[in-house]
């Protein structure tokens, strides 16, 4: 599937009708979500890491790209890949390896080793990725202000908006203020000139409600993989009790 199909899915969304992108962690889960009728998927790095036996953030780049390629091959819908902060790869190599998987999009986060990156440097990197990729990739710029924290005296919402605007100006197609509070979403959506990706929690607002608050698209991080593993754990416990 082409990136133009994926990009079009983000356009003209009505409030309360966000693009819902389940997060497959392997080929089998990808097929389940595609068969259920979802028009596109977005891999979670933590979920893929767990399926490969790694802690979140510890997956070698080669294994992550190989896992993404298997997922892409398994389904007839567009797949976007969470490639964390890009594994230290220069933009040209990063884009080439990502395109080789067949993915049409990617997440790139603005923190490393638990610390926020300088926003201008991150914007410059995003601009390089965009220059190399042209229109072949849908770039989702993750903003980690709510998960990494901001300097004392800095307002998280203000810093999130400033970073998101820089990243959109650098060529990001979408911005992802992960873990932003639901009450902040209307202000973020109004201030950021790009579609807004929002992280849905099992005990949080529904995707429809997040769309009403300003989300253009909804992703789940490793949440779906963890729910699936909880179900496997219950099966294992029942078997062990027999």
């Amino acid at each position: 599937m082409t990136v133009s199909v994926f990009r079009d899915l983000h356009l003209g969304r009505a409030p309360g009708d966000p693009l819902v992108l389940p997060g497959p962690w392997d080929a089998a889960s990808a097929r389940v979500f595609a068969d259920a009728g979802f028009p596109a998927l977005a891999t979670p790095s933590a979920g893929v890491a767990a399926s490969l036996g790694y802690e979140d953030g510890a997956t070698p780049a080669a294994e992550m790209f190989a896992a993404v390629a298997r997922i892409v091959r398994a389904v007839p819908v567009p797949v976007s890949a969470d490639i964390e902060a890009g594994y230290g790869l220069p933009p040209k190599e990063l884009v080439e390896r990502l395109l080789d998987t067949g993915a049409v999009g990617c997440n790139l986060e603005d923190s490393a080793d638990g610390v926020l990156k300088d926003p201008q440097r991150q914007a410059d990197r995003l601009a390089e990725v965009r220059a190399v990729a042209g229109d072949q990739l849908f770039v989702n710029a993750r903003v980690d202000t709510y998960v990494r924290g901001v300097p004392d005296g800095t307002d998280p919402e203000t810093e999130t908006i400033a970073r998101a605007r820089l990243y959109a100006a650098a060529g990001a197609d979408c911005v992802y203020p992960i873990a932003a509070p639901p009450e902040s979403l209307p202000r973020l959506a109004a201030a950021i000139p790009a579609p807004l990706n929002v992280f849905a929690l099992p005990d949080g607002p529904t995707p429809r409600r997040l769309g009403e608050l300003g989300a253009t698209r909804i992703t789940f991080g490793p949440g779906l993989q963890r729910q699936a593993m909880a179900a496997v754990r219950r099966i294992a416990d029942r078997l062990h009790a027999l």
Side-chain angles (χ1 to χ4, degrees):
M1 299 296 288
T2 66
V3 65
S4 62
V5 171
F6 187 65
R7 185 172 282 113
D8 287 349
L9 290 171
H10 294 75
L11 303 178
R13 310 294 309 190
D17 181 34
L19 174 62
V20 177
L21 299 177
W25 52 94
D26 59 14
S29 60
R31 287 192 182 114
V32 169
F33 293 132
D35 288 348
F38 289 97
L41 307 174
T43 70
S45 62
V48 173
S51 76
L52 297 173
Y54 293 102
E55 295 296 321
D56 186 19
T59 309
E63 293 197 43
M64 181 62 75
F65 287 124
V68 170
R70 288 191 293 271
I71 289 169
V72 171
R73 287 197 301 267
V75 294
V77 300
V79 176
S80 182
D82 183 350
I83 52 172
E84 304 176 278
Y87 308 109
L89 299 172
K92 185 175 187 298
E93 182 180 355
L94 181 66
V95 169
E96 289 175 349
R97 294 180 71 172
L98 187 57
L99 291 176
D100 283 345
T101 70
V104 300
C106 66
N107 283 6
L108 281 171
E109 58 198 52
D110 67 349
S111 66
D113 300 319
V115 179
L116 285 171
K117 297 181 178 180
D118 176 82
Q120 187 57 60
R121 289 188 178 182
Q122 178 69 359
D124 291 344
R125 179 166 169 79
L126 289 168
E128 291 183 67
V129 169
R130 171 56 65 213
V132 173
D135 61 359
Q136 296 182 83
L137 282 177
F138 186 97
V139 178
N140 188 33
R142 201 177 94 172
V143 184
D144 285 0
T145 43
Y146 290 103
V147 292
R148 303 305 185 196
V150 296
D152 290 343
T154 302
D155 176 61
E157 191 173 294
T158 300
E159 179 67 15
T160 298
I161 290 170
R163 285 173 177 262
R165 285 176 168 170
L166 270 177
Y167 303 161
D173 297 284
C174 187
V175 294
Y176 180 15
I178 185 171
E183 60 270 20
S184 292
L185 296 181
R187 293 186 293 274
L188 294 177
I192 297 169
L196 200 66
N197 185 149
V198 172
F199 177 46
L201 293 169
D203 57 352
T206 65
R208 179 177 295 278
R209 178 57 182 153
L210 292 173
E212 291 170 349
L213 292 171
T216 302
R217 82 181 207 179
I218 307 296
T219 53
F220 302 86
L224 302 178
Q225 183 265 341
R226 290 172 180 170
Q227 289 182 57
M229 292 310 299
V232 172
R233 168 59 65 186
R234 289 193 291 272
I235 294 169
D237 288 344
R238 287 198 298 272
L239 289 173
H240 189 261
L242 293 178

